[in-house]
Amino acid sequence: MSTPNPTESLDSEREHTRTGMSKAALKQDFLDNLFYIQGRFREVATPHDLYMAAAFTTRDRLLKRWVESAQVFKTSHARTVCYLSAEYLLGPHLAGNLVNLGITEAAREVGEELGLDLDAILEEEEEPGLGNGGLGRLAACFMESLSTCQIPAIGYGIRYEFGIFDQAIEDGWQVEKTDNWLRNGNPWEIPRPKIRFSVGYGGYTESYRDDKGRSRQRWQPSLVINGMAYDTPILGYGTANANLLRLWKAEAPASFDFQAFNTGDYYGAVYANIQAETISKVLYPNDEPEAGKELRLKQQYFFVSCSMQDMVRLHLNTVGPLETFADKFVAQLNDTHPALAVAELMRLLLDEHVMSWEQAWDITHRTFCYTNHTLLPEALETWSVSLFERLLPRHLEIVYEINRRFLDEVRMRFLGDEARVWRMSLIAEGGERRVRMANLAVVGSRAVNGVAELHSELVKATLFKDFAELWPERFHNVTNGVTPRRFMVVANPRLSKLITRTCGHEDWIRDLERLRELEAHVDDAGFQEAWRAVKHAAKQDLAAWMQQASGVRLDPESLFDVQAKRFHEYKRQHLKVLHIIRCYQRLKQGQPQDLVPRAFIFGGKAAPGYFMAKLMIKLINAVGAVVNNDPQVNGWIRVAFLPDFNVKNGQRLYPAADLSEQISLAGKEASGTGNMKFSMNGALTIGTLDGANVEIREAVGAENFFLFGMTAAEALQRQMTGYRPWELYQNDPELKSDIDLINSGLFSHGDTQLFRPLTDNLVNHDPFMVLADYRDYLDCQKMVSETYKDTERWTRMSILNVARIGRFSSDRAIREYAEHIWKVTPRLIDPASGGDS
Ligand SMILES: *Cc1c(COP(=O)(O)O)cnc(C)c1O
């Protein structure tokens, strides 16, 4: 043995401890973090201390990869994707990061050596709920896949102090509890006090001549606040690439305090401080835009302004002249929430960097791409011109000028078609004038995409018909996907191990199409048996968890029939309720012949102000209270509501589902991603031809999918020729008796009025055509039951669903964006060389 220089030995030892991947290094770092960061030793550590130490130990290893990635991206001037999203529904970090680092087993064994249970530590993590549902979860899947696909990227968003509310169920009703997720500290983020930008609001604009005699505009805001960056590293799977999620927190600028202090207005200063901080205080808990909510517009401008200023700063620091901005960056708008970025980049280039309009527009227009997420008219964002002008007077001028030039182009192309000009304008006229954010996003972007084939076709045929006629080459489809790391490897370790064992490799985790290799084993009785055992174990886990979370006992032998997603009339949770009531009535009438024992499981939050959605939750729990307590039926059917559906609880649900309910009215669900997560975990789908259901059915085979209901075209046709739900109600005795049973008060302690708003709406209006699809849905459910009785057939269908689901990986979606929309290529970070590639 040589005797090394003691200083050197210490350094290499340290290096090893903080970044090494051996069990010894992990264990030492864990104990060090427990001691030096949490100030505890093993014997007195609380579960939270243990979680924090595990998180810091994992983070140490992330940081190494992240810093190396950042160096390579910077020195190589790599083209970079900036994903702009008002929401990121990340889910717990620890388990995902362990998987992507490849140290889950090592961490488990280190835990055992220390007498600790890794699963208990993972349970401690409170997830950052910085999103409402599908859209925010998509952004989180995309960030993970961007890293896995080795594409340089920055995710920009808002560091909400309070995320989506926690849902409790009291007396069957949803009760919202504030989500104080930062209360115990967030070990995954790194505050960047030196990365701060000012953001202005209000005031006025003025014209002036600059020192070169050019006529220019100046914005004098009446309020200026600061945005400070908080960075979270996002690691890819099986790669050293890590990207950056940069979230902005609003705060009062320091100078503000001084001024007030000098004038003795102490309370005024504190108040201004609070005022500023409210901007990133809370996530709006609604899937749809909040009509006229000033704070919401402030939030949007806040994060967009910080993000665009940051991109300009990065460009000037690395590449240099702003003329090449659109070569360095592509910015993806996740829905219209960040559409103000178009006007903000124009403002920065025109007013702060003295560019001509033509050049600024050329850069801006080449920078942005826009993803549309909905066709529902109530979900299309518009802002009244008066509010817009009061908050963002300079941006309104810019929007007007974009519009003036754009409408001239339209007039030139479609001579004399003023109706078209009217429809395409960025400003809706007639009544209160409003800024149409979707039109701004389309005009300001070089590519526009929908999120599933059907949706993208409907985008071109309906919502943006005029735009697709003007710029057909601008419109694309990129079908959504989800990350198999979280929704298979983390959520369903048993299934993942079975797949790995059967295929003989783990490559399917990064190349999900390789799940096809399972097809060769579909008839293998031993494999089928193992497949069923995996599902059964997941159902037992869920049943145990449900018992303590909701008090409902579920029988793992029964068919787990699950619908978990935000509550919305278009998603038609009430259609599933009608099926439960039908089963209940048939059991009461002694006709259980073609039923199988079923657990009807629901999960999902309702927007706090969405009365009908909350009434649907109450109805489910009310039906459950009757069914679950009726010994005549409760051996056959059970109803369970999983409270607080979020990413963490979703991970318990997807692996345990036999049947996935994707029953929206065709034409209404843009894509859906829950449908993909269920299918990846071996659930069969009962669904309409809506969103990505269409493509899932094509992929897994029509014979392995339970299809029912009208097509989008049929639904539209029927709406146009006069849809009369009350005739359906009158003419179908079973439908009538199901609805009448709700109105009878059976589920509401004799109150015949409680559910009237819901049943009256169904019978008289039924905007989402529940009654039109009722009969077909029941018939299809009968097929589901019959198929479930044939265990072997069901197992085969389940295996084939997983084997053929590969294209719904978000890796595939990201590669499509990279190739067709972003024109960006992967940059490999080589861990061995310390970063250079
Ligand atoms: C995937 C997911 C969704 C989206 O579900 P859909 O069925 O596509 O609407 C919503 N919420 C959470 C927590 C999710 O994980």
Side-chain angles (χ1 to χ4, degrees), residues 89 127 132-135 137-138 482 487 564-566 570-571 645-648 650 654 661-662 669 671-675 677-678:
L89 193 51
E127 73 175 70
N132 273 284
L135 174 142
R137 183 54 235 176
L138 184 77
V482 302
F487 291 107
K565 48 182 76 243
R566 285 298 289 247
Y570 86 78
K571 293 178 184 272
F645 177 58
N646 55 16
V647 177
K648 193 174 177 179
Y654 298 118
E661 299 265 354
Q662 307 300 337
E669 188 76 87
S671 162
T673 49
N675 45 7
K677 301 172 204 166
F678 279 107

PDB file of all heavy atoms in Angstrom, residues 89 127 132-135 137-138 482 487 564-566 570-571 645-648 650 654 661-662 669 671-675 677-678, ligand 1:
ATOM      1  N   LEU A  89     -47.349  18.905 -12.506  1.00  0.00           N
ATOM      2  CA  LEU A  89     -47.863  17.996 -11.472  1.00  0.00           C
ATOM      3  C   LEU A  89     -46.848  16.859 -11.316  1.00  0.00           C
ATOM      4  O   LEU A  89     -46.970  15.800 -11.918  1.00  0.00           O
ATOM      5  CB  LEU A  89     -49.238  17.482 -11.898  1.00  0.00           C
ATOM      6  CG  LEU A  89     -50.091  16.759 -10.852  1.00  0.00           C
ATOM      7  CD1 LEU A  89     -50.197  17.566  -9.574  1.00  0.00           C
ATOM      8  CD2 LEU A  89     -51.482  16.508 -11.411  1.00  0.00           C
ATOM      9  N   GLU A 127     -46.158  15.310  -2.031  1.00  0.00           N
ATOM     10  CA  GLU A 127     -45.858  15.654  -3.418  1.00  0.00           C
ATOM     11  C   GLU A 127     -46.133  17.122  -3.718  1.00  0.00           C
ATOM     12  O   GLU A 127     -47.050  17.716  -3.161  1.00  0.00           O
ATOM     13  CB  GLU A 127     -46.650  14.759  -4.378  1.00  0.00           C
ATOM     14  CG  GLU A 127     -48.134  15.059  -4.468  1.00  0.00           C
ATOM     15  CD  GLU A 127     -48.794  14.201  -5.542  1.00  0.00           C
ATOM     16  OE1 GLU A 127     -48.900  12.994  -5.322  1.00  0.00           O
ATOM     17  OE2 GLU A 127     -49.198  14.745  -6.581  1.00  0.00           O
ATOM     18  N   ASN A 132     -53.295  20.887 -11.906  1.00  0.00           N
ATOM     19  CA  ASN A 132     -54.663  20.435 -11.678  1.00  0.00           C
ATOM     20  C   ASN A 132     -54.889  18.980 -12.056  1.00  0.00           C
ATOM     21  O   ASN A 132     -55.602  18.272 -11.371  1.00  0.00           O
ATOM     22  CB  ASN A 132     -55.629  21.292 -12.494  1.00  0.00           C
ATOM     23  CG  ASN A 132     -56.034  22.542 -11.749  1.00  0.00           C
ATOM     24  OD1 ASN A 132     -56.847  22.468 -10.839  1.00  0.00           O
ATOM     25  ND2 ASN A 132     -55.449  23.671 -12.099  1.00  0.00           N
ATOM     26  N   GLY A 133     -54.317  18.572 -13.177  1.00  0.00           N
ATOM     27  CA  GLY A 133     -54.625  17.228 -13.678  1.00  0.00           C
ATOM     28  C   GLY A 133     -53.755  16.909 -14.869  1.00  0.00           C
ATOM     29  O   GLY A 133     -52.536  17.084 -14.828  1.00  0.00           O
ATOM     30  N   GLY A 134     -54.406  16.466 -15.942  1.00  0.00           N
ATOM     31  CA  GLY A 134     -53.697  15.961 -17.111  1.00  0.00           C
ATOM     32  C   GLY A 134     -52.650  16.909 -17.686  1.00  0.00           C
ATOM     33  O   GLY A 134     -51.533  16.481 -17.989  1.00  0.00           O
ATOM     34  N   LEU A 135     -53.001  18.181 -17.825  1.00  0.00           N
ATOM     35  CA  LEU A 135     -52.080  19.130 -18.461  1.00  0.00           C
ATOM     36  C   LEU A 135     -50.794  19.297 -17.658  1.00  0.00           C
ATOM     37  O   LEU A 135     -49.688  19.314 -18.210  1.00  0.00           O
ATOM     38  CB  LEU A 135     -52.799  20.473 -18.651  1.00  0.00           C
ATOM     39  CG  LEU A 135     -52.004  21.662 -19.166  1.00  0.00           C
ATOM     40  CD1 LEU A 135     -52.863  22.485 -20.105  1.00  0.00           C
ATOM     41  CD2 LEU A 135     -51.501  22.546 -18.028  1.00  0.00           C
ATOM     42  N   ARG A 137     -49.654  17.144 -15.400  1.00  0.00           N
ATOM     43  CA  ARG A 137     -48.947  15.863 -15.345  1.00  0.00           C
ATOM     44  C   ARG A 137     -48.189  15.635 -16.663  1.00  0.00           C
ATOM     45  O   ARG A 137     -47.090  15.101 -16.667  1.00  0.00           O
ATOM     46  CB  ARG A 137     -49.932  14.735 -15.061  1.00  0.00           C
ATOM     47  CG  ARG A 137     -49.313  13.368 -14.908  1.00  0.00           C
ATOM     48  CD  ARG A 137     -48.182  13.301 -13.863  1.00  0.00           C
ATOM     49  NE  ARG A 137     -46.967  12.762 -14.452  1.00  0.00           N
ATOM     50  CZ  ARG A 137     -45.793  12.646 -13.830  1.00  0.00           C
ATOM     51  NH1 ARG A 137     -45.641  13.045 -12.567  1.00  0.00           N
ATOM     52  NH2 ARG A 137     -44.761  12.168 -14.447  1.00  0.00           N
ATOM     53  N   LEU A 138     -48.767  16.076 -17.777  1.00  0.00           N
ATOM     54  CA  LEU A 138     -48.088  15.952 -19.070  1.00  0.00           C
ATOM     55  C   LEU A 138     -46.761  16.705 -19.037  1.00  0.00           C
ATOM     56  O   LEU A 138     -45.727  16.202 -19.493  1.00  0.00           O
ATOM     57  CB  LEU A 138     -48.971  16.498 -20.195  1.00  0.00           C
ATOM     58  CG  LEU A 138     -48.379  16.316 -21.592  1.00  0.00           C
ATOM     59  CD1 LEU A 138     -48.553  14.875 -22.052  1.00  0.00           C
ATOM     60  CD2 LEU A 138     -49.015  17.271 -22.595  1.00  0.00           C
ATOM     61  N   VAL A 482     -46.987   9.054 -21.582  1.00  0.00           N
ATOM     62  CA  VAL A 482     -46.656   9.145 -20.148  1.00  0.00           C
ATOM     63  C   VAL A 482     -45.335   8.407 -19.912  1.00  0.00           C
ATOM     64  O   VAL A 482     -44.961   7.532 -20.696  1.00  0.00           O
ATOM     65  CB  VAL A 482     -47.768   8.553 -19.251  1.00  0.00           C
ATOM     66  CG1 VAL A 482     -49.093   9.257 -19.511  1.00  0.00           C
ATOM     67  CG2 VAL A 482     -47.928   7.060 -19.463  1.00  0.00           C
ATOM     68  N   PHE A 487     -44.879   5.432 -14.104  1.00  0.00           N
ATOM     69  CA  PHE A 487     -46.173   4.744 -14.079  1.00  0.00           C
ATOM     70  C   PHE A 487     -46.064   3.232 -14.253  1.00  0.00           C
ATOM     71  O   PHE A 487     -47.062   2.535 -14.134  1.00  0.00           O
ATOM     72  CB  PHE A 487     -47.135   5.393 -15.076  1.00  0.00           C
ATOM     73  CG  PHE A 487     -47.533   6.781 -14.611  1.00  0.00           C
ATOM     74  CD1 PHE A 487     -47.049   7.924 -15.219  1.00  0.00           C
ATOM     75  CD2 PHE A 487     -48.336   6.931 -13.477  1.00  0.00           C
ATOM     76  CE1 PHE A 487     -47.380   9.195 -14.743  1.00  0.00           C
ATOM     77  CE2 PHE A 487     -48.678   8.189 -12.999  1.00  0.00           C
ATOM     78  CZ  PHE A 487     -48.187   9.332 -13.623  1.00  0.00           C
ATOM     79  N   ALA A 564     -60.698   7.304 -12.533  1.00  0.00           N
ATOM     80  CA  ALA A 564     -59.943   8.279 -11.739  1.00  0.00           C
ATOM     81  C   ALA A 564     -59.461   9.390 -12.645  1.00  0.00           C
ATOM     82  O   ALA A 564     -58.652   9.161 -13.540  1.00  0.00           O
ATOM     83  CB  ALA A 564     -58.761   7.596 -11.054  1.00  0.00           C
ATOM     84  N   LYS A 565     -59.948  10.586 -12.414  1.00  0.00           N
ATOM     85  CA  LYS A 565     -59.640  11.762 -13.225  1.00  0.00           C
ATOM     86  C   LYS A 565     -60.393  12.928 -12.617  1.00  0.00           C
ATOM     87  O   LYS A 565     -61.244  12.728 -11.750  1.00  0.00           O
ATOM     88  CB  LYS A 565     -60.060  11.551 -14.679  1.00  0.00           C
ATOM     89  CG  LYS A 565     -61.496  10.996 -14.822  1.00  0.00           C
ATOM     90  CD  LYS A 565     -61.899  10.740 -16.275  1.00  0.00           C
ATOM     91  CE  LYS A 565     -61.293   9.507 -16.853  1.00  0.00           C
ATOM     92  NZ  LYS A 565     -60.389   9.759 -17.973  1.00  0.00           N
ATOM     93  N   ARG A 566     -60.100  14.151 -13.071  1.00  0.00           N
ATOM     94  CA  ARG A 566     -60.861  15.290 -12.569  1.00  0.00           C
ATOM     95  C   ARG A 566     -62.362  15.050 -12.812  1.00  0.00           C
ATOM     96  O   ARG A 566     -62.754  14.412 -13.799  1.00  0.00           O
ATOM     97  CB  ARG A 566     -60.423  16.579 -13.291  1.00  0.00           C
ATOM     98  CG  ARG A 566     -59.080  17.104 -12.835  1.00  0.00           C
ATOM     99  CD  ARG A 566     -59.070  17.488 -11.375  1.00  0.00           C
ATOM    100  NE  ARG A 566     -59.838  18.682 -11.112  1.00  0.00           N
ATOM    101  CZ  ARG A 566     -59.329  19.841 -10.704  1.00  0.00           C
ATOM    102  NH1 ARG A 566     -58.031  19.963 -10.506  1.00  0.00           N
ATOM    103  NH2 ARG A 566     -60.094  20.879 -10.480  1.00  0.00           N
ATOM    104  N   TYR A 570     -68.242  16.417 -18.819  1.00  0.00           N
ATOM    105  CA  TYR A 570     -67.919  15.799 -20.108  1.00  0.00           C
ATOM    106  C   TYR A 570     -67.231  14.446 -19.922  1.00  0.00           C
ATOM    107  O   TYR A 570     -67.280  13.600 -20.818  1.00  0.00           O
ATOM    108  CB  TYR A 570     -67.089  16.746 -20.994  1.00  0.00           C
ATOM    109  CG  TYR A 570     -65.592  16.723 -20.779  1.00  0.00           C
ATOM    110  CD1 TYR A 570     -64.808  15.694 -21.302  1.00  0.00           C
ATOM    111  CD2 TYR A 570     -64.944  17.742 -20.072  1.00  0.00           C
ATOM    112  CE1 TYR A 570     -63.440  15.671 -21.117  1.00  0.00           C
ATOM    113  CE2 TYR A 570     -63.583  17.733 -19.880  1.00  0.00           C
ATOM    114  CZ  TYR A 570     -62.833  16.683 -20.399  1.00  0.00           C
ATOM    115  OH  TYR A 570     -61.482  16.662 -20.207  1.00  0.00           O
ATOM    116  N   LYS A 571     -66.612  14.228 -18.769  1.00  0.00           N
ATOM    117  CA  LYS A 571     -65.970  12.934 -18.503  1.00  0.00           C
ATOM    118  C   LYS A 571     -66.984  11.876 -18.052  1.00  0.00           C
ATOM    119  O   LYS A 571     -66.687  10.698 -17.983  1.00  0.00           O
ATOM    120  CB  LYS A 571     -64.867  13.098 -17.462  1.00  0.00           C
ATOM    121  CG  LYS A 571     -63.675  13.938 -17.964  1.00  0.00           C
ATOM    122  CD  LYS A 571     -62.625  14.111 -16.881  1.00  0.00           C
ATOM    123  CE  LYS A 571     -61.466  15.014 -17.258  1.00  0.00           C
ATOM    124  NZ  LYS A 571     -60.355  14.306 -17.934  1.00  0.00           N
ATOM    125  N   PHE A 645     -57.287  12.179  -4.984  1.00  0.00           N
ATOM    126  CA  PHE A 645     -56.583  11.614  -6.142  1.00  0.00           C
ATOM    127  C   PHE A 645     -55.488  12.588  -6.586  1.00  0.00           C
ATOM    128  O   PHE A 645     -55.755  13.719  -6.963  1.00  0.00           O
ATOM    129  CB  PHE A 645     -57.573  11.363  -7.285  1.00  0.00           C
ATOM    130  CG  PHE A 645     -56.912  10.851  -8.542  1.00  0.00           C
ATOM    131  CD1 PHE A 645     -56.170   9.684  -8.532  1.00  0.00           C
ATOM    132  CD2 PHE A 645     -57.036  11.549  -9.733  1.00  0.00           C
ATOM    133  CE1 PHE A 645     -55.557   9.209  -9.688  1.00  0.00           C
ATOM    134  CE2 PHE A 645     -56.436  11.088 -10.892  1.00  0.00           C
ATOM    135  CZ  PHE A 645     -55.691   9.917 -10.865  1.00  0.00           C
ATOM    136  N   ASN A 646     -54.258  12.121  -6.481  1.00  0.00           N
ATOM    137  CA  ASN A 646     -53.099  12.901  -6.925  1.00  0.00           C
ATOM    138  C   ASN A 646     -52.110  11.901  -7.518  1.00  0.00           C
ATOM    139  O   ASN A 646     -52.456  10.732  -7.713  1.00  0.00           O
ATOM    140  CB  ASN A 646     -52.506  13.700  -5.760  1.00  0.00           C
ATOM    141  CG  ASN A 646     -52.158  12.818  -4.566  1.00  0.00           C
ATOM    142  OD1 ASN A 646     -52.066  11.592  -4.685  1.00  0.00           O
ATOM    143  ND2 ASN A 646     -51.958  13.428  -3.416  1.00  0.00           N
ATOM    144  N   VAL A 647     -50.907  12.322  -7.807  1.00  0.00           N
ATOM    145  CA  VAL A 647     -49.980  11.408  -8.480  1.00  0.00           C
ATOM    146  C   VAL A 647     -49.647  10.221  -7.570  1.00  0.00           C
ATOM    147  O   VAL A 647     -49.658   9.065  -7.996  1.00  0.00           O
ATOM    148  CB  VAL A 647     -48.700  12.150  -8.907  1.00  0.00           C
ATOM    149  CG1 VAL A 647     -47.711  11.179  -9.552  1.00  0.00           C
ATOM    150  CG2 VAL A 647     -49.041  13.275  -9.882  1.00  0.00           C
ATOM    151  N   LYS A 648     -49.399  10.533  -6.311  1.00  0.00           N
ATOM    152  CA  LYS A 648     -49.023   9.488  -5.367  1.00  0.00           C
ATOM    153  C   LYS A 648     -50.138   8.448  -5.224  1.00  0.00           C
ATOM    154  O   LYS A 648     -49.889   7.240  -5.278  1.00  0.00           O
ATOM    155  CB  LYS A 648     -48.759  10.164  -4.014  1.00  0.00           C
ATOM    156  CG  LYS A 648     -48.067   9.332  -2.975  1.00  0.00           C
ATOM    157  CD  LYS A 648     -47.767  10.245  -1.775  1.00  0.00           C
ATOM    158  CE  LYS A 648     -47.130   9.502  -0.626  1.00  0.00           C
ATOM    159  NZ  LYS A 648     -46.829  10.426   0.503  1.00  0.00           N
ATOM    160  N   GLY A 650     -52.552   7.992  -7.355  1.00  0.00           N
ATOM    161  CA  GLY A 650     -52.712   7.375  -8.662  1.00  0.00           C
ATOM    162  C   GLY A 650     -51.790   6.170  -8.802  1.00  0.00           C
ATOM    163  O   GLY A 650     -52.167   5.138  -9.358  1.00  0.00           O
ATOM    164  N   TYR A 654     -53.434   2.701 -10.404  1.00  0.00           N
ATOM    165  CA  TYR A 654     -53.248   2.155 -11.757  1.00  0.00           C
ATOM    166  C   TYR A 654     -52.883   0.664 -11.746  1.00  0.00           C
ATOM    167  O   TYR A 654     -53.456  -0.111 -12.520  1.00  0.00           O
ATOM    168  CB  TYR A 654     -52.216   2.977 -12.540  1.00  0.00           C
ATOM    169  CG  TYR A 654     -52.630   4.430 -12.748  1.00  0.00           C
ATOM    170  CD1 TYR A 654     -51.876   5.482 -12.230  1.00  0.00           C
ATOM    171  CD2 TYR A 654     -53.786   4.746 -13.454  1.00  0.00           C
ATOM    172  CE1 TYR A 654     -52.253   6.818 -12.405  1.00  0.00           C
ATOM    173  CE2 TYR A 654     -54.173   6.075 -13.636  1.00  0.00           C
ATOM    174  CZ  TYR A 654     -53.403   7.098 -13.106  1.00  0.00           C
ATOM    175  OH  TYR A 654     -53.788   8.406 -13.283  1.00  0.00           O
ATOM    176  N   GLU A 661     -62.008   3.106 -16.987  1.00  0.00           N
ATOM    177  CA  GLU A 661     -63.191   3.779 -17.546  1.00  0.00           C
ATOM    178  C   GLU A 661     -62.767   5.061 -18.258  1.00  0.00           C
ATOM    179  O   GLU A 661     -62.314   6.025 -17.618  1.00  0.00           O
ATOM    180  CB  GLU A 661     -64.184   4.126 -16.417  1.00  0.00           C
ATOM    181  CG  GLU A 661     -64.696   2.915 -15.664  1.00  0.00           C
ATOM    182  CD  GLU A 661     -66.030   2.378 -16.193  1.00  0.00           C
ATOM    183  OE1 GLU A 661     -66.626   3.009 -17.086  1.00  0.00           O
ATOM    184  OE2 GLU A 661     -66.466   1.321 -15.689  1.00  0.00           O
ATOM    185  N   GLN A 662     -62.927   5.075 -19.576  1.00  0.00           N
ATOM    186  CA  GLN A 662     -62.560   6.244 -20.396  1.00  0.00           C
ATOM    187  C   GLN A 662     -63.779   6.591 -21.238  1.00  0.00           C
ATOM    188  O   GLN A 662     -63.820   6.346 -22.438  1.00  0.00           O
ATOM    189  CB  GLN A 662     -61.326   5.917 -21.248  1.00  0.00           C
ATOM    190  CG  GLN A 662     -60.147   5.383 -20.445  1.00  0.00           C
ATOM    191  CD  GLN A 662     -59.635   6.351 -19.382  1.00  0.00           C
ATOM    192  OE1 GLN A 662     -59.840   7.576 -19.484  1.00  0.00           O
ATOM    193  NE2 GLN A 662     -58.979   5.852 -18.346  1.00  0.00           N
ATOM    194  N   GLU A 669     -62.733  14.894 -25.026  1.00  0.00           N
ATOM    195  CA  GLU A 669     -61.458  14.682 -24.332  1.00  0.00           C
ATOM    196  C   GLU A 669     -60.346  14.813 -25.368  1.00  0.00           C
ATOM    197  O   GLU A 669     -60.286  14.031 -26.312  1.00  0.00           O
ATOM    198  CB  GLU A 669     -61.438  13.286 -23.705  1.00  0.00           C
ATOM    199  CG  GLU A 669     -60.246  13.014 -22.806  1.00  0.00           C
ATOM    200  CD  GLU A 669     -60.355  13.694 -21.446  1.00  0.00           C
ATOM    201  OE1 GLU A 669     -60.953  13.118 -20.525  1.00  0.00           O
ATOM    202  OE2 GLU A 669     -59.836  14.821 -21.317  1.00  0.00           O
ATOM    203  N   SER A 671     -57.046  14.260 -25.355  1.00  0.00           N
ATOM    204  CA  SER A 671     -56.249  13.042 -25.477  1.00  0.00           C
ATOM    205  C   SER A 671     -56.563  12.094 -24.331  1.00  0.00           C
ATOM    206  O   SER A 671     -56.989  10.963 -24.522  1.00  0.00           O
ATOM    207  CB  SER A 671     -54.749  13.390 -25.452  1.00  0.00           C
ATOM    208  OG  SER A 671     -53.981  12.239 -25.145  1.00  0.00           O
ATOM    209  N   GLY A 672     -56.382  12.595 -23.111  1.00  0.00           N
ATOM    210  CA  GLY A 672     -56.376  11.727 -21.954  1.00  0.00           C
ATOM    211  C   GLY A 672     -54.983  11.145 -21.835  1.00  0.00           C
ATOM    212  O   GLY A 672     -54.306  10.893 -22.848  1.00  0.00           O
ATOM    213  N   THR A 673     -54.536  10.974 -20.610  1.00  0.00           N
ATOM    214  CA  THR A 673     -53.276  10.262 -20.365  1.00  0.00           C
ATOM    215  C   THR A 673     -53.498   9.188 -19.309  1.00  0.00           C
ATOM    216  O   THR A 673     -52.755   8.210 -19.262  1.00  0.00           O
ATOM    217  CB  THR A 673     -52.158  11.216 -19.899  1.00  0.00           C
ATOM    218  OG1 THR A 673     -52.677  12.030 -18.840  1.00  0.00           O
ATOM    219  CG2 THR A 673     -51.657  12.072 -21.037  1.00  0.00           C
ATOM    220  N   GLY A 674     -54.547   9.354 -18.498  1.00  0.00           N
ATOM    221  CA  GLY A 674     -54.914   8.313 -17.552  1.00  0.00           C
ATOM    222  C   GLY A 674     -55.180   7.011 -18.298  1.00  0.00           C
ATOM    223  O   GLY A 674     -54.749   5.927 -17.867  1.00  0.00           O
ATOM    224  N   ASN A 675     -55.842   7.108 -19.453  1.00  0.00           N
ATOM    225  CA  ASN A 675     -56.114   5.915 -20.270  1.00  0.00           C
ATOM    226  C   ASN A 675     -54.826   5.131 -20.542  1.00  0.00           C
ATOM    227  O   ASN A 675     -54.803   3.907 -20.496  1.00  0.00           O
ATOM    228  CB  ASN A 675     -56.842   6.328 -21.565  1.00  0.00           C
ATOM    229  CG  ASN A 675     -56.244   7.539 -22.260  1.00  0.00           C
ATOM    230  OD1 ASN A 675     -55.180   8.029 -21.854  1.00  0.00           O
ATOM    231  ND2 ASN A 675     -56.914   8.050 -23.277  1.00  0.00           N
ATOM    232  N   LYS A 677     -51.952   5.230 -18.725  1.00  0.00           N
ATOM    233  CA  LYS A 677     -51.369   4.700 -17.487  1.00  0.00           C
ATOM    234  C   LYS A 677     -52.054   3.396 -17.078  1.00  0.00           C
ATOM    235  O   LYS A 677     -51.396   2.443 -16.664  1.00  0.00           O
ATOM    236  CB  LYS A 677     -51.502   5.726 -16.360  1.00  0.00           C
ATOM    237  CG  LYS A 677     -50.823   7.054 -16.634  1.00  0.00           C
ATOM    238  CD  LYS A 677     -51.185   8.054 -15.521  1.00  0.00           C
ATOM    239  CE  LYS A 677     -51.045   9.478 -15.987  1.00  0.00           C
ATOM    240  NZ  LYS A 677     -51.687  10.432 -15.056  1.00  0.00           N
ATOM    241  N   PHE A 678     -53.375   3.358 -17.194  1.00  0.00           N
ATOM    242  CA  PHE A 678     -54.116   2.139 -16.849  1.00  0.00           C
ATOM    243  C   PHE A 678     -53.688   0.988 -17.757  1.00  0.00           C
ATOM    244  O   PHE A 678     -53.426  -0.120 -17.306  1.00  0.00           O
ATOM    245  CB  PHE A 678     -55.620   2.363 -16.999  1.00  0.00           C
ATOM    246  CG  PHE A 678     -56.276   3.070 -15.840  1.00  0.00           C
ATOM    247  CD1 PHE A 678     -56.700   4.381 -15.943  1.00  0.00           C
ATOM    248  CD2 PHE A 678     -56.489   2.404 -14.632  1.00  0.00           C
ATOM    249  CE1 PHE A 678     -57.322   5.027 -14.884  1.00  0.00           C
ATOM    250  CE2 PHE A 678     -57.115   3.036 -13.568  1.00  0.00           C
ATOM    251  CZ  PHE A 678     -57.528   4.353 -13.690  1.00  0.00           C
TER     252      PHE A 678
HETATM  253  C1  LIG B   1     -52.766  11.210 -15.336  1.00  0.00           C
HETATM  254  C2  LIG B   1     -53.432  12.070 -14.352  1.00  0.00           C
HETATM  255  C3  LIG B   1     -54.545  12.825 -14.713  1.00  0.00           C
HETATM  256  C4  LIG B   1     -55.133  12.797 -16.104  1.00  0.00           C
HETATM  257  O1  LIG B   1     -56.150  11.819 -16.170  1.00  0.00           O
HETATM  258  P1  LIG B   1     -57.161  11.782 -17.413  1.00  0.00           P
HETATM  259  O2  LIG B   1     -57.878  10.497 -17.228  1.00  0.00           O
HETATM  260  O3  LIG B   1     -56.312  11.756 -18.646  1.00  0.00           O
HETATM  261  O4  LIG B   1     -58.024  12.960 -17.320  1.00  0.00           O
HETATM  262  C5  LIG B   1     -55.142  13.626 -13.763  1.00  0.00           C
HETATM  263  N1  LIG B   1     -54.670  13.671 -12.504  1.00  0.00           N
HETATM  264  C6  LIG B   1     -53.604  12.943 -12.112  1.00  0.00           C
HETATM  265  C7  LIG B   1     -53.156  13.022 -10.691  1.00  0.00           C
HETATM  266  C8  LIG B   1     -52.943  12.133 -13.015  1.00  0.00           C
HETATM  267  O5  LIG B   1     -51.868  11.437 -12.626  1.00  0.00           O
END
